[in-house]
Amino acid sequence: MKIKRFDPLFAKPAHGGTILADRVIPEGMNEPFSHAYGYLLNGRSMMGHAHPTDEIYVVMSGTGHVIVGGRNAKVKTGDVAVIPPDEYHTMLCTEDDAAPFKWAALWWPHIAGEAGESTEEISVARFDSAGKASEPAVPSRMKTPFEHSFEHLSPGEKRPSRSEKEGVYIILSGNADISAGNERAALSAGDVVGLPPGENVLLEAKSGDVFFIYLRWPVK
């Protein structure tokens, strides 16, 4: 079981006002996508750019704006925004936003589907915990090389799981304990924990509502 957390001490400037770290997913995993953290302080913006890959932004903390093809969407912790291929896009943290505005960017070679089609609105997935244990974490118009779901645990709730696939939990809020085999660890918002395939995993919410995203993919 491996845990990764964004460390500003290892960040470097990129894309204008954006600061990037080297990885989101723990070392040694075989994830089918590229990834990097980004964050903005108040009054800063990312340098606009476009690329041929599919991409999502998972908002890890704070509030800000994602701008795609001239369209603007206000986003907050837990939102997942679609960046279609070849669409000019940027990120913005205004003076009125909650900073640091931090996100995890995941991108991969374009998978044919609706993701490249223009829409009037930016596609953003938001988890509604009312009466739900899980729901898709990426807007349906985006095809992904991984399975995905939003998950929620109230304090004291437990989530046992076992999968033959490799995967990660991306913790968005709350505090939890996790066990996998003989390993134990405490988790908090911002942690990304790699889940070993073929092992029994138990996640227990300790304090606060624990919201997290579960990504999984076939073992290579």
Side-chain angles (χ1 to χ4, degrees):
M1 185 169 59
K2 303 174 182 178
I3 299 173
K4 177 76 175 180
R5 169 171 277 194
F6 176 70
D7 187 345
L9 293 178
F10 292 95
K12 58 183 182 294
H15 288 322
T18 308
I19 306 298
L20 293 179
D22 58 346
R23 294 181 63 86
V24 175
I25 307 301
E27 296 279 358
M29 304 190 73
N30 294 298
E31 62 278 3
F33 50 84
S34 300
H35 47 88
Y37 282 111
Y39 78 88
L40 291 169
L41 301 178
N42 293 115
R44 303 301 298 271
S45 64
M46 174 199 294
M47 183 176 68
H49 62 289
H51 43 67
T53 53
D54 292 341
E55 185 175 31
I56 57 172
Y57 289 145
V58 180
V59 181
M60 303 289 287
S61 70
T63 64
H65 299 258
V66 56
I67 302 167
V68 181
R71 302 179 297 278
N72 187 325
K74 180 74 176 282
V75 291
K76 57 183 177 58
T77 303
D79 286 351
V80 179
V82 163
I83 312 298
D86 300 315
E87 286 268 14
Y88 185 86
H89 57 281
T90 185
M91 304 283 271
L92 172 67
C93 183
T94 72
E95 296 293 348
D96 296 325
D97 280 311
F101 173 39
K102 184 175 73 173
W103 64 89
L106 282 58
W107 65 94
W108 55 91
H110 175 59
I111 301 174
E114 296 180 353
E117 297 178 5
S118 179
T119 64
E120 293 299 319
E121 301 292 336
I122 298 173
S123 292
V124 178
R126 292 187 170 104
F127 182 64
D128 179 6
S129 64
K132 298 179 181 180
S134 67
E135 62 184 46
V138 179
S140 60
R141 68 189 295 257
M142 170 67 77
K143 293 185 179 296
T144 66
F146 50 85
E147 298 175 20
H148 50 84
S149 56
F150 278 120
E151 308 276 347
H152 167 249
L153 294 175
S154 297
E157 286 189 317
K158 299 179 181 180
R159 186 196 192 284
S161 67
R162 179 186 176 92
S163 176
E164 298 308 315
K165 297 181 178 180
E166 195 171 38
V168 293
Y169 289 156
I170 301 176
I171 308 299
L172 300 170
S173 69
N175 296 281
D177 287 342
I178 191 169
S179 61
N182 295 323
E183 296 181 283
R184 305 285 188 276
L187 302 176
S188 58
D191 287 345
V192 178
V193 55
L195 305 174
E199 285 197 13
N200 294 319
V201 176
L202 182 65
L203 184 68
E204 181 179 2
K206 303 301 290 185
S207 63
D209 285 313
V210 177
F211 289 94
F212 61 101
I213 290 175
Y214 180 21
L215 307 180
R216 57 266 185 201
W217 53 87
V219 176
K220 292 183 178 180

